[in-house]
Amino acid sequence: MSQLEIIDCEQNSEEWHRARAGIVTASEFATVMAKGRGKSESVTRRKYMLHLVGERLAGPSPFDSYSNGHMTRGHEYESEAADLYVFQTDNEIQRIGFMRRGDVGYSPDGLIDENGLVEIKTKLYHLHLECLLSDEVPSEHIPQLQGGLWVSGREWIDFVSYSPGLPLFVKRVYRDEEYIKNLAQEVDCFLAEMNEIIEKIKRRAA
């Protein structure tokens, strides 16, 4: 795998968007692994692939300023959740912008010591309470968590779920090498398909 490159910038800044342009990121690994019904292609996977192809050919999209209530809430409460995590665990969070290995990347919520990461999610009451009651990380987050460990080369990641007024949920997730191997294969296939489309577009423009 390619050498790890760390881009020290503020997340969601212009530099951050440039660093991520055309790169398959851990937050979308679940999309990369998505399967369509029957033998059909996943619509979300195809949409993401074409978006990245566009970024490879033309740079960051000028239309990527979308935000919704969940995203806004996450930005508002993430620092609050991080402070509570630090208080409860005594772990110091080192902030970075983006880490990249070749054509894959990850924007962690923080580095912990030499071998750890932290990923913070702010959730609606019912979703957060499910975490507390099950004492499990929701399955939809596993691709991002294992993907973050794959890209970073680190050994563990603390998954943090936060909802104001309720107890913090913290669960440590360790590397699953078999999962990471399968993830890497899926990403390789995705990238190969992307490159085929890029070549078709270049031939069309020639």
Side-chain angles (χ1 to χ4, degrees):
M1 196 174 182
S2 302
Q3 185 175 356
L4 179 65
E5 177 186 2
I6 293 181
I7 294 90
D8 189 13
C9 61
E10 185 177 345
Q11 292 188 12
N12 297 305
S13 65
E14 184 177 346
E15 182 181 357
W16 181 79
H17 282 289
R18 286 199 306 269
R20 297 172 80 255
I23 301 299
V24 183
T25 60
S27 61
E28 295 291 347
F29 282 165
T31 301
V32 170
M33 299 173 75
K35 307 297 181 185
R37 292 184 178 181
K39 294 183 179 180
S40 64
E41 182 180 14
S42 164
V43 174
T44 55
R45 182 179 183 275
R46 177 72 172 182
K47 180 180 177 181
Y48 180 53
M49 182 182 294
L50 294 179
H51 175 80
L52 292 184
V53 168
E55 289 188 331
R56 289 277 183 96
L57 295 171
S61 170
F63 306 110
D64 284 352
S65 59
Y66 172 77
S67 180
N68 60 31
H70 294 295
M71 294 167 66
T72 302
R73 186 185 67 251
H75 292 315
E76 288 177 352
Y77 290 115
E78 184 179 314
S79 61
E80 191 174 308
D83 289 343
L84 189 56
Y85 168 79
V86 169
F87 176 76
Q88 290 190 7
T89 64
D90 280 333
N91 289 333
E92 182 179 347
I93 297 176
Q94 178 187 349
R95 300 283 189 175
I96 66 167
F98 188 63
M99 50 177 56
R100 171 178 174 176
R101 286 186 191 271
D103 292 323
V104 296
Y106 175 51
S107 299
D109 289 329
L111 309 181
I112 309 295
D113 298 325
E114 297 298 320
N115 290 310
L117 300 164
V118 62
E119 185 66 38
I120 300 170
K121 304 294 184 185
T122 57
K123 291 182 173 288
L124 299 173
Y125 284 158
H126 68 286
L127 297 173
H128 180 69
L129 288 169
E130 286 290 1
C131 292
L132 291 169
L133 292 170
S134 68
D135 193 34
E136 296 290 344
V137 175
S139 60
E140 63 265 25
H141 297 302
I142 297 301
Q144 182 181 17
L145 300 180
Q146 290 295 336
L149 293 172
W150 173 40
V151 174
S152 68
R154 293 193 167 221
E155 295 300 318
W156 55 264
I157 183 168
D158 277 349
F159 173 82
V160 178
S161 176
Y162 177 70
S163 200
L166 294 173
L168 193 70
F169 175 78
V170 181
K171 188 77 171 182
R172 184 157 296 181
V173 176
Y174 292 91
R175 291 177 68 93
D176 181 336
E177 298 298 345
E178 187 64 27
Y179 188 98
I180 289 173
K181 179 182 176 181
N182 292 333
L183 172 61
Q185 291 173 346
E186 292 279 358
V187 171
D188 284 345
C189 290
F190 185 88
L191 288 167
E193 291 175 47
M194 270 184 62
N195 288 331
E196 288 180 6
I197 294 173
I198 289 170
E199 289 306 312
K200 286 181 181 178
I201 299 299
K202 286 182 176 180
R203 287 197 299 270
R204 185 180 181 89

